[in-house]
Amino acid sequence: MNVVDGIVATAGIALVAFWSFHGLCLRVLLAGAVGTLLLHLWRPVRVGPKWNLGHLRHLLIIGAQSSV
Protein backbone atom coordinates (compact mmCIF):
# COMPACT_ATOMS: atom_id res chain seq x y z
CA MET A 1 0.00 0.00 0.00
CA ASN A 2 2.79 2.45 0.84
CA VAL A 3 4.41 1.74 -2.51
CA VAL A 4 1.20 2.61 -4.37
CA ASP A 5 0.78 5.77 -2.29
CA GLY A 6 4.35 6.77 -3.11
CA ILE A 7 3.87 6.16 -6.82
CA VAL A 8 0.67 8.22 -6.89
CA ALA A 9 2.31 11.05 -4.94
CA THR A 10 5.35 11.05 -7.21
CA ALA A 11 3.24 10.95 -10.36
CA GLY A 12 1.20 13.83 -8.96
CA ILE A 13 4.22 16.12 -9.24
CA ALA A 14 3.45 16.35 -12.94
CA LEU A 15 0.07 17.86 -12.02
CA VAL A 16 1.84 20.58 -10.06
CA ALA A 17 4.16 21.27 -12.98
CA PHE A 18 1.27 21.71 -15.43
CA TRP A 19 -1.39 23.42 -13.28
CA SER A 20 0.62 25.00 -10.41
CA PHE A 21 -1.72 25.62 -7.44
CA HIS A 22 -4.69 23.74 -8.88
CA GLY A 23 -2.41 20.83 -9.66
CA LEU A 24 -1.17 20.86 -6.06
CA CYS A 25 -4.75 20.70 -4.80
CA LEU A 26 -5.58 17.90 -7.25
CA ARG A 27 -2.44 15.98 -6.21
CA VAL A 28 -3.45 16.09 -2.54
CA LEU A 29 -7.03 15.04 -3.32
CA LEU A 30 -5.89 12.22 -5.58
CA ALA A 31 -3.35 10.91 -3.06
CA GLY A 32 -5.95 11.01 -0.28
CA ALA A 33 -8.58 9.27 -2.39
CA VAL A 34 -6.18 6.51 -3.46
CA GLY A 35 -5.01 6.00 0.13
CA THR A 36 -8.57 5.81 1.42
CA LEU A 37 -9.57 3.39 -1.34
CA LEU A 38 -6.62 1.10 -0.63
CA LEU A 39 -7.27 1.12 3.10
CA HIS A 40 -10.91 0.24 2.44
CA LEU A 41 -10.09 -2.58 0.02
CA TRP A 42 -7.33 -4.12 2.17
CA ARG A 43 -9.01 -3.85 5.58
CA PRO A 44 -8.25 -6.84 7.82
CA VAL A 45 -11.78 -7.36 9.22
CA ARG A 46 -14.82 -6.86 7.04
CA VAL A 47 -17.71 -5.94 9.27
CA GLY A 48 -21.17 -5.41 7.87
CA PRO A 49 -23.97 -3.36 9.37
CA LYS A 50 -26.19 -5.04 11.94
CA TRP A 51 -29.22 -3.29 13.40
CA ASN A 52 -30.47 -3.96 16.90
CA LEU A 53 -33.73 -2.13 17.56
CA GLY A 54 -33.35 -2.47 21.33
CA HIS A 55 -30.02 -0.64 21.24
CA LEU A 56 -31.44 2.01 18.91
CA ARG A 57 -34.38 2.59 21.24
CA HIS A 58 -32.05 2.90 24.23
CA LEU A 59 -29.87 5.37 22.31
CA LEU A 60 -32.89 7.51 21.41
CA ILE A 61 -34.12 7.52 25.02
CA ILE A 62 -30.70 8.59 26.34
CA GLY A 63 -30.42 11.26 23.64
CA ALA A 64 -33.88 12.61 24.41
CA GLN A 65 -33.09 12.81 28.14
CA SER A 66 -29.82 14.67 27.65
CA SER A 67 -31.40 17.31 25.40
CA VAL A 68 -33.94 18.38 28.05
Side-chain angles (χ1 to χ4, degrees):
M1 187 180 84
N2 289 337
V3 173
V4 176
D5 281 338
I7 291 170
V8 170
T10 304
I13 294 173
L15 296 173
V16 178
F18 288 120
W19 292 309
S20 63
F21 179 73
H22 296 294
L24 184 66
C25 295
L26 186 60
R27 178 180 180 251
V28 170
L29 287 173
L30 185 63
V34 168
T36 302
L37 178 69
L38 291 175
L39 285 172
H40 177 72
L41 292 176
W42 294 339
R43 62 192 186 271
V45 178
R46 297 181 185 265
V47 179
K50 181 179 178 183
W51 293 96
N52 186 331
L53 294 179
H55 291 159
L56 180 62
R57 180 177 174 270
H58 179 69
L59 181 65
L60 292 174
I61 290 170
I62 297 297
Q65 288 176 354
S66 65
S67 65
V68 175

